[in-house]
Amino acid sequence: RLKLSSRTCTEWILPGVRMLAAIRAMRHEALAGGKIHVIKVGTSTLLTNDEVGGQKVSLSNISRLVELIASLRTSGDHVVLVSSGAVGMGCLKLGLSQRPTGPGVKQALAAAGQSRLMRLYEDLFAVIGVNVAQLLISRDDFSDKARFLAVRNTFWALLRLGVVPIVNENDSLSAEHVPNFGDNDTMAAMTAVLLQADWVFLATDVDFLYTANPKDDPNATPIYAVEDLSRLKLAGLEASSSQWGTGGMATKIIAARIAVCAGVHCGLVNGEVPERIGQMIRGKKEGGTHFVALKGCASFAQNDHNRWIITLPPSGSLTLDRDGYDAVLTHHKIRTGMLLKCSGEFSHDEAVALFFDGKEIARALVRMSSAAITDEMNRSMVGLLDFTRELQAAGIYLDGYKSWRKGGHKGASGEMNADVLRKLEQNGVVIKSDTPQSSGHQSSVIADGCDIVLMCTATIKEADRQVLILSGSGAKRLPGCEPTAPFAL
């Protein structure tokens, strides 16, 4: 059983818990104790079919949404509205029956439609005496840590002033070759992470997340709560059926994962019934599908640095061996000697996904480029066993074995049998390398423990168990940890 040292607990675990408590206290004081809810509405909620088969603004949906936000603010909570629809509104404003394509067209439609969209919100919120503000943000605002914190401070200042921020991606100035959010579901989740929100709600055109597409499968059943997204097996995750939108159920699953890994509850609700958002906040499972936030002590996703890492798009991936997995659990450094595979092209100070046993377990900010990591892995051959005759007798080529040792699953003769190879290794002879390398634990550092954020429910729970064992608290949680939702199935 993996055990944490007293030094690890003293230097990493307990300071992390204390930091979490301090951040919560600062946020509580700044926002007068109210909860923060991020609500994302898409084009399918804002627009509806008209009598002749075209599109028109759904005033009933938008008005009910505005009333809900006013109700939440009256109860002392704070709301941030993430709204798509600029391109769709632009098409309506310009009298277009189809969404056109071509260089610069999307940007032009977004520029034309954003002003119409904000005018609609301004007028409706003014009726109930609520002030709103427009924020157009881009992926770059999350990629740079200084801008990440500056945007957060702007949000917090608006909320303290009693203003409802209305957020959209800055499509009118985005370049085709520049990475963007991809959809506003992702941007909503990242905004919730940025603000340390309590909930993020993703409006869609169905009541729940289902085991299959209910439009195609009559046996599809609703899912009321999801505690472990890694175990979620769904069929028929399709893109948006609307010609005006860019999202779909698959993008909402991705957004939910970003949110819950940062300790933010995520709700999937029907945009035509915005009142269900209030039901979910009050704990009623019939409101929609609840993706339960990961609140483990070991996640360390509650400080600004770790929240920033979660919002970074992974530029590549690293597959770890057991030593690497143990290092992640104990918040230690990971080194090149702990790697089985390096995928993708990335530079130092970029985010990568960490995999173990076929599952993504964490995100990390790396100190080495993919080229440097691959070069060191290729030069480090100490420990490779030479048992050519034994391999040939088992029908395996030596090159295939080398590939398997580096994380490949197939050799020259097909699938590698891991059990057979490990038994053969026991009788092998070590090859002496012409370029001696240090052992794995003395090789180059890829990422520091403070730059690693756990992203898997099972991994966080395993790390939590080790913290509880070391602290001698039995089944009790350490200060700052919170239980999961009471109605999760």
Side-chain angles (χ1 to χ4, degrees), residues 139-154:
R139 170 68 87 170
D140 288 341
D141 294 318
F142 288 85
S143 299
D144 181 79
K145 190 174 181 179
R147 291 171 66 175
F148 175 87
L149 297 177
V151 171
R152 184 200 64 181
N153 292 337
T154 300

PDB file of all heavy atoms in Angstrom, residues 139-154:
ATOM      1  N   ARG A 139      -9.676  32.748 -25.663  1.00  0.00           N
ATOM      2  CA  ARG A 139      -8.844  31.703 -25.063  1.00  0.00           C
ATOM      3  C   ARG A 139      -7.562  32.285 -24.483  1.00  0.00           C
ATOM      4  O   ARG A 139      -7.058  31.812 -23.460  1.00  0.00           O
ATOM      5  CB  ARG A 139      -8.539  30.637 -26.114  1.00  0.00           C
ATOM      6  CG  ARG A 139      -7.499  29.613 -25.727  1.00  0.00           C
ATOM      7  CD  ARG A 139      -8.003  28.723 -24.608  1.00  0.00           C
ATOM      8  NE  ARG A 139      -8.738  27.588 -25.103  1.00  0.00           N
ATOM      9  CZ  ARG A 139      -9.114  26.558 -24.345  1.00  0.00           C
ATOM     10  NH1 ARG A 139      -8.807  26.553 -23.059  1.00  0.00           N
ATOM     11  NH2 ARG A 139      -9.795  25.561 -24.829  1.00  0.00           N
ATOM     12  N   ASP A 140      -7.036  33.343 -25.110  1.00  0.00           N
ATOM     13  CA  ASP A 140      -5.796  33.951 -24.620  1.00  0.00           C
ATOM     14  C   ASP A 140      -5.952  34.515 -23.212  1.00  0.00           C
ATOM     15  O   ASP A 140      -4.975  34.608 -22.461  1.00  0.00           O
ATOM     16  CB  ASP A 140      -5.343  35.069 -25.563  1.00  0.00           C
ATOM     17  CG  ASP A 140      -4.803  34.531 -26.880  1.00  0.00           C
ATOM     18  OD1 ASP A 140      -4.453  33.330 -26.913  1.00  0.00           O
ATOM     19  OD2 ASP A 140      -4.749  35.290 -27.861  1.00  0.00           O
ATOM     20  N   ASP A 141      -7.170  34.890 -22.851  1.00  0.00           N
ATOM     21  CA  ASP A 141      -7.394  35.427 -21.513  1.00  0.00           C
ATOM     22  C   ASP A 141      -7.229  34.354 -20.439  1.00  0.00           C
ATOM     23  O   ASP A 141      -7.063  34.678 -19.258  1.00  0.00           O
ATOM     24  CB  ASP A 141      -8.798  36.029 -21.416  1.00  0.00           C
ATOM     25  CG  ASP A 141      -8.953  37.251 -22.301  1.00  0.00           C
ATOM     26  OD1 ASP A 141      -8.018  38.072 -22.334  1.00  0.00           O
ATOM     27  OD2 ASP A 141      -9.998  37.386 -22.959  1.00  0.00           O
ATOM     28  N   PHE A 142      -7.284  33.084 -20.833  1.00  0.00           N
ATOM     29  CA  PHE A 142      -7.073  31.984 -19.898  1.00  0.00           C
ATOM     30  C   PHE A 142      -5.663  31.400 -20.025  1.00  0.00           C
ATOM     31  O   PHE A 142      -5.166  30.793 -19.079  1.00  0.00           O
ATOM     32  CB  PHE A 142      -8.107  30.883 -20.135  1.00  0.00           C
ATOM     33  CG  PHE A 142      -9.492  31.249 -19.688  1.00  0.00           C
ATOM     34  CD1 PHE A 142     -10.342  31.965 -20.503  1.00  0.00           C
ATOM     35  CD2 PHE A 142      -9.950  30.885 -18.429  1.00  0.00           C
ATOM     36  CE1 PHE A 142     -11.618  32.314 -20.093  1.00  0.00           C
ATOM     37  CE2 PHE A 142     -11.231  31.226 -18.007  1.00  0.00           C
ATOM     38  CZ  PHE A 142     -12.065  31.936 -18.841  1.00  0.00           C
ATOM     39  N   SER A 143      -5.045  31.559 -21.181  1.00  0.00           N
ATOM     40  CA  SER A 143      -3.729  30.959 -21.395  1.00  0.00           C
ATOM     41  C   SER A 143      -2.633  31.663 -20.622  1.00  0.00           C
ATOM     42  O   SER A 143      -1.642  31.043 -20.236  1.00  0.00           O
ATOM     43  CB  SER A 143      -3.392  30.962 -22.893  1.00  0.00           C
ATOM     44  OG  SER A 143      -4.333  30.192 -23.622  1.00  0.00           O
ATOM     45  N   ASP A 144      -2.782  32.958 -20.404  1.00  0.00           N
ATOM     46  CA  ASP A 144      -1.792  33.735 -19.658  1.00  0.00           C
ATOM     47  C   ASP A 144      -2.287  33.901 -18.226  1.00  0.00           C
ATOM     48  O   ASP A 144      -3.414  34.366 -17.990  1.00  0.00           O
ATOM     49  CB  ASP A 144      -1.595  35.106 -20.316  1.00  0.00           C
ATOM     50  CG  ASP A 144      -0.561  35.941 -19.583  1.00  0.00           C
ATOM     51  OD1 ASP A 144       0.634  35.703 -19.777  1.00  0.00           O
ATOM     52  OD2 ASP A 144      -0.978  36.819 -18.794  1.00  0.00           O
ATOM     53  N   LYS A 145      -1.451  33.541 -17.247  1.00  0.00           N
ATOM     54  CA  LYS A 145      -1.889  33.544 -15.852  1.00  0.00           C
ATOM     55  C   LYS A 145      -2.219  34.943 -15.355  1.00  0.00           C
ATOM     56  O   LYS A 145      -3.194  35.134 -14.604  1.00  0.00           O
ATOM     57  CB  LYS A 145      -0.816  32.912 -14.963  1.00  0.00           C
ATOM     58  CG  LYS A 145      -1.285  32.652 -13.542  1.00  0.00           C
ATOM     59  CD  LYS A 145      -0.246  31.896 -12.742  1.00  0.00           C
ATOM     60  CE  LYS A 145      -0.739  31.607 -11.328  1.00  0.00           C
ATOM     61  NZ  LYS A 145       0.256  30.857 -10.534  1.00  0.00           N
ATOM     62  N   ALA A 146      -1.451  35.943 -15.769  1.00  0.00           N
ATOM     63  CA  ALA A 146      -1.721  37.307 -15.326  1.00  0.00           C
ATOM     64  C   ALA A 146      -3.076  37.785 -15.843  1.00  0.00           C
ATOM     65  O   ALA A 146      -3.859  38.417 -15.119  1.00  0.00           O
ATOM     66  CB  ALA A 146      -0.607  38.246 -15.791  1.00  0.00           C
ATOM     67  N   ARG A 147      -3.375  37.488 -17.108  1.00  0.00           N
ATOM     68  CA  ARG A 147      -4.668  37.868 -17.676  1.00  0.00           C
ATOM     69  C   ARG A 147      -5.787  37.063 -17.035  1.00  0.00           C
ATOM     70  O   ARG A 147      -6.901  37.568 -16.834  1.00  0.00           O
ATOM     71  CB  ARG A 147      -4.652  37.670 -19.187  1.00  0.00           C
ATOM     72  CG  ARG A 147      -3.738  38.644 -19.901  1.00  0.00           C
ATOM     73  CD  ARG A 147      -3.545  38.311 -21.364  1.00  0.00           C
ATOM     74  NE  ARG A 147      -4.774  38.454 -22.136  1.00  0.00           N
ATOM     75  CZ  ARG A 147      -4.825  38.310 -23.457  1.00  0.00           C
ATOM     76  NH1 ARG A 147      -3.711  38.009 -24.128  1.00  0.00           N
ATOM     77  NH2 ARG A 147      -5.958  38.450 -24.105  1.00  0.00           N
ATOM     78  N   PHE A 148      -5.515  35.807 -16.708  1.00  0.00           N
ATOM     79  CA  PHE A 148      -6.482  34.945 -16.032  1.00  0.00           C
ATOM     80  C   PHE A 148      -6.941  35.587 -14.728  1.00  0.00           C
ATOM     81  O   PHE A 148      -8.143  35.689 -14.441  1.00  0.00           O
ATOM     82  CB  PHE A 148      -5.819  33.588 -15.778  1.00  0.00           C
ATOM     83  CG  PHE A 148      -6.633  32.606 -14.982  1.00  0.00           C
ATOM     84  CD1 PHE A 148      -7.538  31.759 -15.611  1.00  0.00           C
ATOM     85  CD2 PHE A 148      -6.483  32.505 -13.606  1.00  0.00           C
ATOM     86  CE1 PHE A 148      -8.275  30.838 -14.881  1.00  0.00           C
ATOM     87  CE2 PHE A 148      -7.215  31.590 -12.870  1.00  0.00           C
ATOM     88  CZ  PHE A 148      -8.111  30.751 -13.514  1.00  0.00           C
ATOM     89  N   LEU A 149      -5.998  36.071 -13.929  1.00  0.00           N
ATOM     90  CA  LEU A 149      -6.327  36.695 -12.651  1.00  0.00           C
ATOM     91  C   LEU A 149      -6.964  38.069 -12.849  1.00  0.00           C
ATOM     92  O   LEU A 149      -7.849  38.462 -12.087  1.00  0.00           O
ATOM     93  CB  LEU A 149      -5.075  36.806 -11.796  1.00  0.00           C
ATOM     94  CG  LEU A 149      -4.422  35.475 -11.399  1.00  0.00           C
ATOM     95  CD1 LEU A 149      -3.137  35.725 -10.619  1.00  0.00           C
ATOM     96  CD2 LEU A 149      -5.379  34.622 -10.589  1.00  0.00           C
ATOM     97  N   ALA A 150      -6.542  38.798 -13.898  1.00  0.00           N
ATOM     98  CA  ALA A 150      -7.122  40.113 -14.165  1.00  0.00           C
ATOM     99  C   ALA A 150      -8.592  39.988 -14.561  1.00  0.00           C
ATOM    100  O   ALA A 150      -9.437  40.782 -14.116  1.00  0.00           O
ATOM    101  CB  ALA A 150      -6.333  40.822 -15.268  1.00  0.00           C
ATOM    102  N   VAL A 151      -8.903  38.998 -15.389  1.00  0.00           N
ATOM    103  CA  VAL A 151     -10.300  38.772 -15.780  1.00  0.00           C
ATOM    104  C   VAL A 151     -11.134  38.388 -14.569  1.00  0.00           C
ATOM    105  O   VAL A 151     -12.266  38.851 -14.389  1.00  0.00           O
ATOM    106  CB  VAL A 151     -10.380  37.670 -16.864  1.00  0.00           C
ATOM    107  CG1 VAL A 151     -11.826  37.265 -17.117  1.00  0.00           C
ATOM    108  CG2 VAL A 151      -9.745  38.153 -18.160  1.00  0.00           C
ATOM    109  N   ARG A 152     -10.569  37.544 -13.689  1.00  0.00           N
ATOM    110  CA  ARG A 152     -11.295  37.155 -12.485  1.00  0.00           C
ATOM    111  C   ARG A 152     -11.615  38.366 -11.613  1.00  0.00           C
ATOM    112  O   ARG A 152     -12.737  38.506 -11.100  1.00  0.00           O
ATOM    113  CB  ARG A 152     -10.472  36.156 -11.673  1.00  0.00           C
ATOM    114  CG  ARG A 152     -11.202  35.631 -10.437  1.00  0.00           C
ATOM    115  CD  ARG A 152     -10.247  35.059  -9.433  1.00  0.00           C
ATOM    116  NE  ARG A 152      -9.331  36.080  -8.901  1.00  0.00           N
ATOM    117  CZ  ARG A 152      -8.378  35.830  -8.012  1.00  0.00           C
ATOM    118  NH1 ARG A 152      -8.199  34.602  -7.571  1.00  0.00           N
ATOM    119  NH2 ARG A 152      -7.592  36.792  -7.582  1.00  0.00           N
ATOM    120  N   ASN A 153     -10.643  39.262 -11.447  1.00  0.00           N
ATOM    121  CA  ASN A 153     -10.874  40.440 -10.622  1.00  0.00           C
ATOM    122  C   ASN A 153     -11.956  41.342 -11.216  1.00  0.00           C
ATOM    123  O   ASN A 153     -12.734  41.966 -10.485  1.00  0.00           O
ATOM    124  CB  ASN A 153      -9.570  41.216 -10.446  1.00  0.00           C
ATOM    125  CG  ASN A 153      -8.556  40.454  -9.617  1.00  0.00           C
ATOM    126  OD1 ASN A 153      -8.908  39.581  -8.828  1.00  0.00           O
ATOM    127  ND2 ASN A 153      -7.284  40.764  -9.806  1.00  0.00           N
ATOM    128  N   THR A 154     -12.013  41.411 -12.564  1.00  0.00           N
ATOM    129  CA  THR A 154     -13.065  42.195 -13.212  1.00  0.00           C
ATOM    130  C   THR A 154     -14.435  41.588 -12.920  1.00  0.00           C
ATOM    131  O   THR A 154     -15.400  42.313 -12.611  1.00  0.00           O
ATOM    132  CB  THR A 154     -12.832  42.251 -14.729  1.00  0.00           C
ATOM    133  OG1 THR A 154     -11.564  42.854 -14.996  1.00  0.00           O
ATOM    134  CG2 THR A 154     -13.932  43.050 -15.415  1.00  0.00           C
TER     135      THR A 154
END
